[in-house]
Amino acid sequence: MRRILVTGGAGFIGSNFVRMVLAEHPDCLVVNFDKLTYAGNLENLTEFLNHPKHKFIKGDICDGALVEKIIDEHRIDAIINFAAESHVDRSITGPKVFIETNVTGTLTLLEAARDKKVARFVHISTDEVYGSLALEEDAKFTEQTPPSPNSPYSASKAAADHLVKAFGHTWDVKYNITRSSNNYGPYQFPEKLIPLMINNALNGKELPVYGDGLYVRDWLYVYDHCAAVWKVLTEAPPGEVYNIGGCNEKTNLEVIDVILGRLGKPKSLIKHVTDRPGHDRRYAIDADKIIQDLDWKPSVGFEEGINKTIDWYLQNEKWLSNVASGDYQKYYEQMYKNR
Ligand code: NAD
Ligand code: TYD
């Protein structure tokens, strides 16, 4: 039986990954380790909290002693590190916690993986470490594109990537790094573009579009990202880095148009606001390596994915209202106080 430690498994992508593994890989024990920051939400996993192959532990990836104890107690054979501060705008208003979690936290996990001889360390990184592309150019990011991060968020992720490689080089920690494009889908916290716009449109609120709205992202449905990470964990040779992309480049205004159309809301809700400082113009992923080497490809196109996502938010108003009210943060105490 596989025994994996998933960090950040109460967040958007981590919880989708935990859900996928429990549903599709019954021979795998998932220890889910999450600090439950504002972005961690146990309501993302309500129906799995008592699952026999899922154990949730609240804690900080900077706490090396606790991480080592968990590795020992559960005989962990792989760490998949999703835990991070993940929002660019927050990294601009308050960069320090990004260094603490994304850099020091990753370092702490690497030390534990090295000292406890964990067989594999899969680090979830981002295409944002590569910097920005111009709208006019055809180029995409490949795994050989040199890192050139522009925001405190992407700088902290690039620093973590370097540490992962350094631990592989220096101590032979068996690692992989994945660099995915922008994800969307169920359970995404409504501070990121797609869920924010859905939430605002549903509530008849203005949709704040930064600058001209012609910034381009390569949208990947979250399930496809999770499936790619599983392939990397189970099939990739150690030391390999993989880009994961949706082949789905869209401007922000194009994405918002689709959302408004599907919800039957007027374009007059769009409000152009002051641009994000240092805003990266375009991200685009060349995912040929993972497609060729691991036989992965995105299974959900943008039209299908965005419709599924909007439907999910429509059907899960309670989840959304608990996030808006802050009630989701009481869930841990309610669920665990009697355990
Ligand atoms: P998220 O913000 O939704 O979730 C992050 C999770 O990490 C939360 O559950 C939070 O409680 C937890 N966490 C934060 N600090 C912690 C700490 N110190 N110790 C333990 N847990 C902590 O993020 P996400 O969108 O799910 O992203 C997951 C990973 O994927 C991140 O590493 C991010 O950089 C990467 N990524 C995200 C995207 C995207 O579009 N969302 C794209 C590419 C890569
Ligand atoms: P975001 O979801 O924050 O992801 P990232 O910046 O990591 O790619 O933003 C996606 C795009 O949407 C980005 O170009 C910024 C833009 N954006 C807005 O125009 N308005 C908003 O309110 C937000 C949150 C993002």
Side-chain angles (χ1 to χ4, degrees):
M1 182 169 76
R2 262 175 217 285
R3 310 175 71 88
I4 63 175
L5 177 62
V6 176
T7 68
F12 163 49
I13 305 173
S15 66
N16 275 283
F17 182 76
V18 169
R19 173 181 304 272
M20 182 199 77
V21 173
L22 293 173
E24 297 179 15
H25 305 286
D27 197 25
C28 183
L29 174 79
V30 179
V31 179
N32 181 353
F33 184 59
D34 195 297
K35 186 176 177 181
L36 297 180
T37 66
Y38 80 92
N41 184 348
L42 277 183
E43 286 193 54
N44 295 356
L45 288 167
T46 316
E47 71 274 32
F48 290 99
L49 290 180
N50 292 316
H51 191 289
K53 292 283 174 54
H54 179 219
K55 178 158 180 60
F56 179 79
I57 301 169
K58 184 177 175 181
D60 190 328
I61 58 168
C62 296
D63 183 347
L66 180 55
V67 171
E68 293 201 0
K69 185 166 167 271
I70 292 169
I71 292 171
D72 281 343
E73 271 180 10
H74 297 281
R75 291 178 287 125
I76 294 298
D77 50 40
I79 297 175
I80 301 99
N81 181 28
F82 289 95
E85 289 293 333
S86 67
H87 190 35
V88 172
D89 293 328
R90 285 180 189 254
S91 83
I92 294 168
T93 48
K96 200 164 178 199
V97 69
F98 284 72
I99 302 306
E100 285 159 7
T101 287
N102 300 0
V103 185
T104 307
T106 302
L107 170 65
T108 308
L109 292 174
L110 285 164
E111 287 176 325
R114 176 197 62 195
D115 295 350
K116 296 291 170 186
K117 302 189 174 29
V118 174
R120 190 62 63 98
F121 189 94
V122 179
H123 180 67
I124 310 303
S125 186
T126 165
D127 61 355
E128 302 193 26
V129 301
Y130 296 122
S132 181
L133 297 163
L135 279 185
E136 315 66 55
E137 62 183 328
D138 289 332
K140 297 181 178 200
F141 299 132
T142 73
E143 291 82 359
Q144 275 70 49
T145 304
S148 183
N150 289 319
S151 72
Y153 163 65
S154 53
S156 69
K157 295 294 289 186
D161 287 14
H162 287 309
L163 281 170
V164 174
K165 282 193 171 181
F167 269 65
H169 188 80
T170 309
W171 289 289
D172 202 26
V173 169
K174 306 281 189 249
Y175 74 87
N176 295 103
I177 297 173
T178 63
R179 297 189 180 131
S180 149
S181 58
N182 286 61
N183 284 217
Y184 68 105
Y187 303 101
Q188 189 167 29
F189 195 83
E191 65 179 356
K192 305 275 170 66
L193 180 76
I194 287 181
L196 178 82
M197 297 302 165
I198 294 173
N199 192 30
N200 282 14
L202 282 175
N203 292 301
K205 284 166 65 178
E206 284 176 342
L207 311 187
V209 173
Y210 299 160
D212 59 14
L214 300 178
Y215 294 86
V216 171
R217 298 293 183 262
D218 175 358
W219 293 98
L220 174 67
Y221 192 65
V222 64
Y223 176 84
D224 283 328
H225 183 188
C226 295
V229 170
W230 181 261
K231 275 211 167 249
V232 170
L233 170 69
T234 56
E235 296 177 28
E240 295 295 329
V241 178
Y242 296 93
N243 283 352
I244 306 171
C247 308
N248 242 317
E249 286 184 58
K250 302 254 177 270
T251 66
N252 296 338
L253 283 174
E254 283 169 337
V255 171
I256 291 166
D257 253 17
V258 174
I259 294 171
L260 288 174
R262 175 86 178 177
L263 292 175
K265 300 286 181 177
K267 285 191 184 181
S268 56
L269 287 176
I270 293 175
K271 180 163 191 243
H272 287 266
V273 298
T274 309
D275 211 346
R276 170 188 283 171
H279 198 166
D280 284 340
R281 187 46 102 174
R282 171 174 167 252
Y283 303 141
I285 277 277
D286 177 338
D288 264 9
K289 181 176 171 182
I290 191 167
I291 292 169
Q292 299 302 328
D293 293 3
L294 302 184
D295 196 26
W296 170 89
K297 62 175 189 312
S299 68
V300 180
F302 187 72
E303 202 185 327
E304 182 189 349
I306 195 75
N307 287 341
K308 282 164 90 148
T309 305
I310 293 170
D311 289 349
W312 185 87
Y313 281 94
L314 285 171
Q315 287 153 15
N316 288 274
E317 274 182 78
K318 183 75 184 149
W319 182 92
L320 212 43
S321 66
N322 281 351
V323 168
S325 68
D327 277 357
Y328 73 106
Q329 290 180 306
K330 299 180 191 148
Y331 197 72
Y332 175 76
E333 272 67 33
Q334 285 163 7
M335 280 299 296
Y336 285 86
K337 69 182 169 204
N338 296 323
R339 292 190 180 199

